[in-house]
Amino acid sequence: MRPKVFVTREIPSKGLEMINEYYDVEVWDKYQAPPYEVILEKAKQVDALVTLLTDKIDCNLIKTGASNRLRIISQYAVGFDNIDIECATKNGVYVTNTPGVLTDATADLTWALILATARRIVEADRFVRTGEWYRTGTGWHPMMMLGLEIHGATIGIIGMGRIGRAVAKRARGFDMRVLYYDKYRLPVEVERSLCATYVDLDTLLKESDVVSIHTPLTKETYHLIGEEELKKMKPTAILVNTSRGKVIDTLALAKALKEKWIAGAGLDVHEEEPLPPDHPLTKLDNVVLAPHIGSATHKTRTKMATLVAENLIAFLKGEIPPTLVNKDVIKVRSPGFQ
Ligand code: GLV
Ligand code: GLV
């Protein structure tokens, strides 16, 4: 009998076709996420789940699944803060993610936000579109829409994993000075190849013109950037976040932007997603907002789907999935549905 998999949302077809060769696939076909109760019900019936970061995969759901037939959760994302990993490991449930394939798309989007925020692109678009430019009665003015010069500025990268390093690599094209802070320092050769200097968070915040966040969301990174940290930044600096919204204390940030402790922010991720249209951030001109689209290119989303499939297929063949998150699970149960 073919194992069953429940996929919590439509993903690019190439991945689904690959999975279909080995599994009986059921896809949740609504645009909105399935309610928790639906995933819980499915967890009782299936051998595998394909999940997204908007699906809450808690210990109750994992235990319920594991006491039936659930053996693997293949997450369609690099981040997995929505899944109780420790509980999955204990219960012999494999969890995989999609690292690597979305690194460059996310680094590109980070740069789109850095440039859009520094050069006030969205504000400028509104200025033209609403007729405000026309009403000034002048086509060009020496003091119009001045922003932060990126070329030659200092960028401070918080979290120097794959994405942080890809952002650093792109900074070289702008002749920037690159500072970084991470829990772990990189090997000196890697630092040298990135022309990046390791500093503590305090120094990074005080010296950077651009602060860009690339940490996973953990207990340690929750509200890593709050009022105190924002006050350490230069009044001319900008903050960019393409990691997880909860790494920043959003209300502190809204205050910082309103009171001009910093010049601007570019945010692809939010504490609350979707961000309500009446959120304090939406009232401010000096923030660029995007709806969590870091990996949203045709090419990357397809690669994520095929990696999700590769993980499921390897597991079914009794092999260790290529991008297994909870490696300790191997000691609890070997891969495969036997
Ligand atoms: C998106 O945020 C991801 O973790 O892949
Ligand atoms: C994610 O891909 C990271 O390690 O930065």
Side-chain angles (χ1 to χ4, degrees):
M1 219 176 68
R2 278 152 57 102
K4 283 192 172 59
V5 59
F6 178 63
V7 183
T8 65
R9 227 73 47 80
E10 187 195 344
I11 62 171
S13 58
K14 190 160 168 227
L16 288 175
E17 284 158 19
M18 285 169 68
I19 302 169
N20 225 339
E21 284 185 33
Y22 297 88
Y23 286 78
D24 282 343
V25 183
E26 184 191 348
V27 181
W28 178 257
D29 59 6
K30 295 191 180 61
Y31 190 81
Q32 288 78 16
Y36 177 80
E37 292 68 32
V38 170
I39 310 178
L40 183 65
E41 253 336 279
K42 297 293 175 192
K44 292 178 190 165
Q45 303 158 17
V46 298
D47 306 273
L49 286 172
V50 173
T51 56
L52 309 194
L53 51 96
T54 44
D55 302 321
K56 186 174 149 82
I57 310 298
D58 62 7
C59 201
N60 171 48
L61 191 146
I62 290 167
K63 273 191 189 153
T64 306
S67 68
N68 291 281
R69 296 157 48 187
L70 181 68
R71 298 292 176 264
I72 178 167
I73 299 167
S74 187
Q75 165 101 336
Y76 185 81
V78 65
F80 42 80
D81 46 273
N82 58 309
I83 304 175
D84 189 334
I85 299 294
E86 206 182 304
C87 176
T89 307
K90 248 187 243 161
N91 287 279
V93 175
Y94 282 58
V95 178
T96 65
N97 66 339
T98 60
V101 294
L102 48 64
T103 302
D104 287 309
T106 308
D108 288 350
L109 194 272
T110 303
W111 274 96
L113 282 179
I114 290 172
L115 290 165
T117 308
R119 300 304 301 273
R120 304 168 61 182
I121 295 296
V122 178
E123 202 186 334
D125 179 90
R126 279 194 295 261
F127 188 69
V128 177
R129 216 177 267 274
T130 58
E132 226 180 302
W133 185 32
Y134 188 78
R135 284 192 291 275
T136 65
T138 183
W140 197 91
H141 192 284
M143 302 310 283
M144 188 173 90
M145 286 275 159
L146 305 190
L148 168 72
E149 180 143 330
I150 288 300
H151 176 261
T154 297
I155 183 169
I157 297 174
I158 301 176
M160 203 58 145
R162 284 170 292 255
I163 298 169
R165 293 198 293 267
V167 168
K169 211 165 115 188
R170 285 154 176 75
R172 291 222 307 266
F174 290 91
D175 293 326
M176 295 179 90
R177 173 175 172 236
V178 179
L179 306 178
Y180 79 98
Y181 166 73
D182 197 300
K183 216 161 78 168
Y184 307 103
R185 191 171 167 177
L186 294 173
V188 177
E189 332 63 272
V190 180
E191 280 184 356
R192 219 171 276 150
S193 74
L194 294 167
C195 303
T197 306
Y198 185 72
V199 291
D200 57 31
L201 184 57
D202 223 58
T203 308
L204 184 144
L205 293 167
K206 284 181 183 148
E207 294 192 9
S208 300
D209 301 300
V210 177
V211 174
S212 191
I213 305 176
H214 303 284
T215 59
L217 174 65
T218 63
K219 280 190 197 83
E220 293 100 73
T221 63
Y222 176 81
H223 283 194
L224 181 68
I225 303 299
E227 196 162 317
E228 205 182 308
E229 290 70 28
L230 290 159
K231 281 194 169 141
K232 286 179 187 155
M233 288 176 64
K234 298 185 192 179
T236 49
I238 63 169
L239 175 67
V240 169
N241 189 11
T242 56
S243 64
R244 284 292 180 267
K246 290 192 171 87
V247 177
I248 298 178
D249 176 347
T250 312
L251 291 180
L253 176 61
K255 192 168 161 205
L257 289 166
K258 194 164 177 217
E259 296 177 5
K260 308 281 163 71
W261 310 347
I262 66 172
L267 307 173
D268 184 43
V269 289
H270 310 275
E271 285 204 76
E272 202 186 339
E273 294 180 359
L275 190 75
D278 59 352
H279 191 281
L281 282 176
T282 65
K283 308 288 180 286
L284 301 168
D285 266 337
N286 53 350
V287 58
V288 176
L289 301 168
H292 204 147
I293 52 170
S295 64
T297 69
H298 296 289
K299 184 174 159 186
T300 285
R301 287 288 164 85
T302 296
K303 284 204 239 165
M304 288 164 69
T306 57
L307 185 50
V308 159
E310 281 161 19
N311 278 300
L312 287 177
I313 295 164
F315 182 85
L316 173 140
K317 292 181 173 167
E319 296 159 13
I320 294 167
T323 52
L324 179 61
V325 169
N326 54 345
K327 304 213 161 46
D328 286 343
V329 74
I330 300 167
K331 295 181 218 144
V332 182
R333 198 195 299 273
S334 3
F337 293 113
Q338 66 287 349

